Amino acid sequence: NNLIAIPMSFVFFYGNSFELLIVGRALQGICSGFAMVVISTFLGEIAPTNARGTIGTINQFGVTSAILVATVFGIPEVIGTCELWHYLLAFPIVLTAIQLVTFPFCPQSPRYLFMVKNDMDGAQKALQKLRGKRDVSEDLAEMSLEKEKQKALRELSLVEFFRDKYLHRPLLITVGLQMAQQLSGINGVFYYGQSIYSTAGLSQPALVALIPAFTNVIMTAVAVKVIDKVGRRSLMLNGLFVMILSYLLLTMGFCFQKGYFGNAKGSNWTAVFTIGGSLGVVIGFAVGPGPIPWMIVAELFPQSARATALAVAGIVNWLCNYIIGQFFRTLMEHTEPYGMLVFVGSCTFFLAFTYLFLPETKGRSIDEIQAYFHGLVDQKRKASSKAPPLLH
């Protein structure tokens, strides 16, 4: 993947035409897609059961930290200018160099070594390096149990993946949560944050946009700390609920700016509701819809289907990301000042979806989670077999 990032950075740095920037963006999309799938898989496979949520959400913490750095660099007072923008877009080459130097010291996934390569010695050494202790018998026992139950299984093809009835429920949850992450509207707030604050009449919108980016990092760090104590389901539900209330605040801020509340136009209430609402959206997203959809995929699927599941998750996620990026501004222009109510609706829908379909996976082994989904399918099959015949 880093071999793609190198030419991408050069294209961005030396590109002086619209066509070259499109090429650079295409390469960037490939890099981002690979990175999100591989990192989520790797973190899920190296994490012990009692810390799987914490380690899995580290990925989102890295993403939010990168957003903050990019936002800082992108303001005109730093390098967000017509003369220096190409330095900003080529910055990934620095991260590529760091990764190429450090990756040789990164251990292989012990679960991959044990379950796919049948390399028990390699898996044990990797676990000892990751856990910092010699006794890793508990981890090996868990992987042995999972492997024993999947002996008859092999890596599923795409067709087999979609046909497997035991994977339908996990797949539905995966797709729903990936859609929730993007269609909750968070990237609209980040992509067009400066426009939102400018429309609301705030001075220096570029600097104000740093506040949500900084808040995103802080609250994601909070999610990393508490996810294995509070649970995935609770954080997802509460995060979406906070986003719903915050979008209502943002809508009120835009209404104040339009003068819909008497002589309040241009008053401090505009800034209060706009900044408060956008911060609330970021806080709700950072504790729930931000970190959970990616990390939970590795928990919902067995080893034989995990890679395919993450690939499907990536496709759904980036497709929804594209939809928001393409149509958010148009939506706001044609529905002003009520555009944010669309996301009140979407967040409400995904709140109900999470409540109905997402089980709590905190503290459960992969084998226990699979047994839960198998039980649902078997229970449904038994219920249908006992149903009386239809009358003709």
Side-chain angles (χ1 to χ4, degrees):
N1 197 34
N2 282 314
L3 295 179
I4 301 173
I6 293 172
M8 175 198 77
S9 298
F10 278 101
V11 167
F12 277 142
F13 189 78
Y14 293 106
N16 54 4
S17 67
F18 176 78
E19 291 77 14
L20 281 176
L21 288 180
I22 292 296
V23 171
R25 288 287 288 170
L27 292 173
Q28 187 180 49
I30 294 171
C31 286
S32 299
F34 272 126
M36 290 301 291
V37 171
V38 172
I39 292 171
S40 297
T41 303
F42 182 74
L43 292 177
E45 292 184 352
I46 67 172
T49 300
N50 63 349
R52 202 167 52 223
T54 299
I55 293 176
T57 50
I58 289 292
N59 181 32
Q60 185 67 16
F61 180 74
V63 171
T64 57
S65 299
I67 291 173
L68 175 60
V69 171
T71 304
V72 171
F73 282 1
I75 62 177
E77 289 78 4
V78 187
I79 57 175
T81 64
C82 294
E83 296 79 19
L84 299 174
W85 62 268
H86 52 283
Y87 286 97
L88 176 61
L89 293 185
F91 183 75
I93 199 168
V94 177
L95 303 179
T96 298
I98 294 172
Q99 289 178 0
L100 290 174
V101 171
T102 57
F103 272 165
F105 303 98
C106 182
Q108 266 278 24
S109 162
R111 189 174 291 272
Y112 170 79
L113 291 172
F114 187 85
M115 301 187 66
V116 179
K117 293 296 185 180
N118 294 313
D119 183 2
M120 185 172 180
D121 291 336
Q124 184 174 357
K125 290 177 182 177
L127 281 169
Q128 288 171 341
K129 187 173 183 180
L130 289 164
R131 305 290 186 262
K133 60 182 182 180
R134 293 193 60 81
D135 183 12
V136 291
S137 56
E138 187 177 338
D139 292 278
L140 290 173
E142 181 188 329
M143 288 190 290
S144 296
L145 181 62
E146 183 181 352
K147 185 178 181 180
E148 188 66 28
K149 292 193 174 184
Q150 295 187 58
K151 258 186 178 179
L153 300 178
R154 52 183 172 77
E155 194 73 23
L156 299 179
S157 68
L158 191 60
V159 174
E160 291 169 331
F161 175 83
F162 285 111
R163 284 181 175 175
D164 192 328
K165 59 183 177 297
Y166 291 115
L167 299 180
H168 289 172
R169 182 89 169 207
L171 180 61
L172 174 66
I173 295 169
T174 296
V175 171
L177 294 189
Q178 294 295 331
M179 292 177 67
Q181 186 182 78
Q182 297 298 333
L183 299 184
S184 64
I186 185 64
N187 279 327
V189 175
F190 279 117
Y191 291 162
Y192 302 108
Q194 294 188 32
S195 299
I196 291 172
Y197 299 135
S198 179
T199 301
L202 301 179
S203 60
Q204 295 184 308
L207 294 177
V208 176
L210 290 176
I211 301 175
F214 183 75
T215 304
N216 198 15
V217 175
I218 298 299
M219 294 310 300
T220 303
V222 172
V224 170
K225 184 71 175 176
V226 305
I227 189 169
D228 280 314
K229 298 176 183 177
V230 177
R232 293 80 160 127
R233 176 182 165 88
S234 296
L235 285 178
M236 191 73 186
L237 289 171
N238 285 292
L240 286 167
F241 182 70
V242 170
M243 292 184 79
I244 292 169
L245 297 181
S246 301
Y247 278 127
L248 292 174
L249 287 179
L250 264 175
T251 302
M252 290 185 66
F254 294 147
C255 288
F256 271 113
Q257 196 275 333
K258 286 289 185 180
Y260 288 179
F261 297 101
N263 296 321
K265 182 176 181 179
S267 71
N268 290 335
W269 287 111
T270 299
V272 170
F273 282 107
T274 303
I275 296 178
S278 63
L279 285 181
V281 169
V282 171
I283 290 171
F285 177 82
V287 299
I292 290 171
W294 279 110
M295 62 77 49
I296 206 168
V297 179
E299 295 185 323
L300 298 179
F301 291 89
Q303 184 75 30
S304 59
R306 197 168 293 140
T308 305
L310 280 160
V312 172
I315 292 171
V316 173
N317 188 283
W318 288 104
L319 178 62
C320 293
N321 185 312
Y322 171 80
I323 291 172
I324 293 297
Q326 281 292 108
F327 300 108
F328 181 84
R329 176 171 286 183
T330 303
L331 171 69
M332 294 301 295
E333 288 174 352
H334 286 82
T335 59
E336 190 179 10
Y338 303 111
M340 291 299 178
L341 294 181
V342 172
F343 299 116
V344 172
S346 66
C347 288
T348 302
F349 171 81
F350 289 117
L351 179 71
F353 175 88
T354 301
Y355 181 81
L356 293 173
F357 292 103
L358 179 63
E360 183 54 72
T361 59
K362 178 188 70 172
R364 294 185 180 183
S365 67
I366 300 295
D367 186 60
E368 289 172 334
I369 295 170
Q370 294 310 303
Y372 167 78
F373 287 121
H374 281 234
L376 288 179
V377 174
D378 294 339
Q379 185 180 13
K380 185 177 180 181
R381 183 189 298 169
K382 288 179 181 178
S384 62
S385 66
K386 292 180 181 179
L390 293 175
L391 297 175
H392 297 284

